[in-house]
Structures are given as structure tokens and as C-alpha cells.
Amino acid sequence: HAEGVALAGGLLEYGGPDPGRQDNGRRLVREAYGKMGGLGLEVAADNPVAPLLEIGLHLQLGDQERALGSYEENRKLFDAHFLDLPVDLVSFVAESHITAGGEDNLLRAEDLLRRWLVKHSESTKFTDSQKASIQLLVGRSYEKAKRYEVARNEYTSVVNRFPGTEQAVEARFGIGETLMSQKI
């Protein structure tokens, strides 16, 4: 299965076959990953959040367009269960809203991320790096909304709470970018 995943994944990533065959290739890769347990996700048909976990499958297969489409189709289900989903799915959705911009998208990203932080900030279920990445996204959301002081506070929180993470380095750059944006 591993060799097949590597071959099909490479073909899909580097613009291999036509769209019909790409769908078939994605299906085969998804099945192979499932048999190997390589996605780290269980997507049983009777699982009520199975449509949401498929977002993760699409992301693992490098198909962000389908992942976003799957999220949009299942937005209400996502809202009901996002606190129990893998952190990479929550990050993907928040980043999508931040990238889209606009007041509604930025408020939605902020709400999702804040709620996640409130529930999981003291949890041992997530690593410091995962928590820092969520906090960093909160800062990016504020920065995109041109709320530079608040963004700087979020970035500073990342630096202070999670000093040994890659996100702390990114947060330092974020602090500098907000200062430059304000011409300070």
C-alpha cells in the first residue's frame, strides 16, 4: 500500500492524469491510507462526524479545494463538533476564513479560534506547538482586520506562553509586521 500511495500521490501532486483519473487516484490513495491507518483518522460510515473527517482526508491528499467544499457543505455539522475535531482541521477552516477576509469571515475565524483556546488551553491532549499555532492564527486574524495592537498582544502571548516553539519565532515576525504596518 505504501508504494502505491507514494506513486499515486506523486502523480496527483504534480499534475498527472486527467480530472476523471485524478478522482479515481484520490479514491485509491484514500483507501490505501485507510488500510494502512496512515491518515490518523477513523472515518467509519456510522460516525456522525464522518463528513467532517473527510475534510482531513482531502487535506492529506493535497486537495484543498475539495476540503473547503466539504467544509462548506457541512458547516452546521462543523459548528456543532469542531471542538472535538483534530486541530489541523480547525486550523484549516480558520485559515480559510482569514484568507477570505472581510468582517464576517474574520469574526468567524476569531470566534472559532477563541472558543477552541478556551476549551483546550490547559488540555494535555494537545501539544504546545498545536496550541501556539491556534493562538498565532488569532493574531493573524486581528492583523488581517488591521487591529494591530490586539494582534501584537496575541503574538506576544505566543512568545511568552510557548517560547520554544516555531510559532514563537513566527509571532516575533508578526510583532514586527504590526509595528511596520503602523509605521512605529
Side-chain angles (χ1 to χ4, degrees), residues 5-161:
V5 166
L7 181 61
L11 286 171
L12 290 169
E13 186 171 335
Y14 295 106
D18 61 75
R21 288 186 179 164
Q22 285 180 353
D23 290 341
N24 207 15
R26 286 187 184 101
R27 182 185 54 75
L28 291 172
V29 170
R30 197 170 23 251
E31 288 174 9
Y33 267 130
K35 289 177 182 174
M36 294 185 319
L39 286 173
L41 297 170
E42 280 184 38
V43 186
D46 61 340
N47 187 337
V49 295
L52 299 176
L53 296 178
E54 283 202 14
I55 298 168
L57 291 172
H58 292 307
L59 289 173
Q60 287 286 334
L61 295 171
D63 193 347
Q64 291 201 348
E65 187 176 315
R66 280 192 179 196
L68 189 57
S70 184
Y71 159 67
E72 290 295 336
E73 289 172 16
N74 297 289
R75 191 168 174 164
K76 287 182 182 180
L77 185 63
F78 179 87
D79 289 347
H81 297 282
F82 83 95
L83 291 171
D84 301 317
L85 294 174
V87 71
D88 59 331
L89 297 184
V90 176
S91 296
F92 168 74
V93 168
E95 286 174 0
S96 298
H97 284 290
I98 292 168
T99 301
E103 186 176 346
D104 289 343
N105 280 314
L106 294 173
L107 287 173
R108 177 152 173 82
E110 177 189 343
D111 177 57
L112 293 172
L113 296 167
R114 283 275 176 224
R115 288 173 50 202
W116 192 95
L117 283 171
V118 166
K119 180 169 182 181
H120 298 297
S121 66
E122 302 302 319
S123 172
T124 56
K125 180 179 172 182
F126 299 100
T127 66
D128 282 351
S129 181
Q130 289 172 317
K131 294 174 191 175
S133 68
I134 295 292
Q135 185 95 43
L136 188 64
L137 282 173
V138 174
R140 287 186 181 146
S141 177
Y142 285 131
E143 185 176 356
K144 178 95 177 197
K146 298 182 180 182
R147 297 174 63 193
Y148 300 117
E149 292 86 8
V150 183
R152 213 168 16 256
N153 287 338
E154 295 299 330
Y155 292 144
T156 301
S157 292
V158 173
V159 171
N160 291 338
R161 286 190 68 206

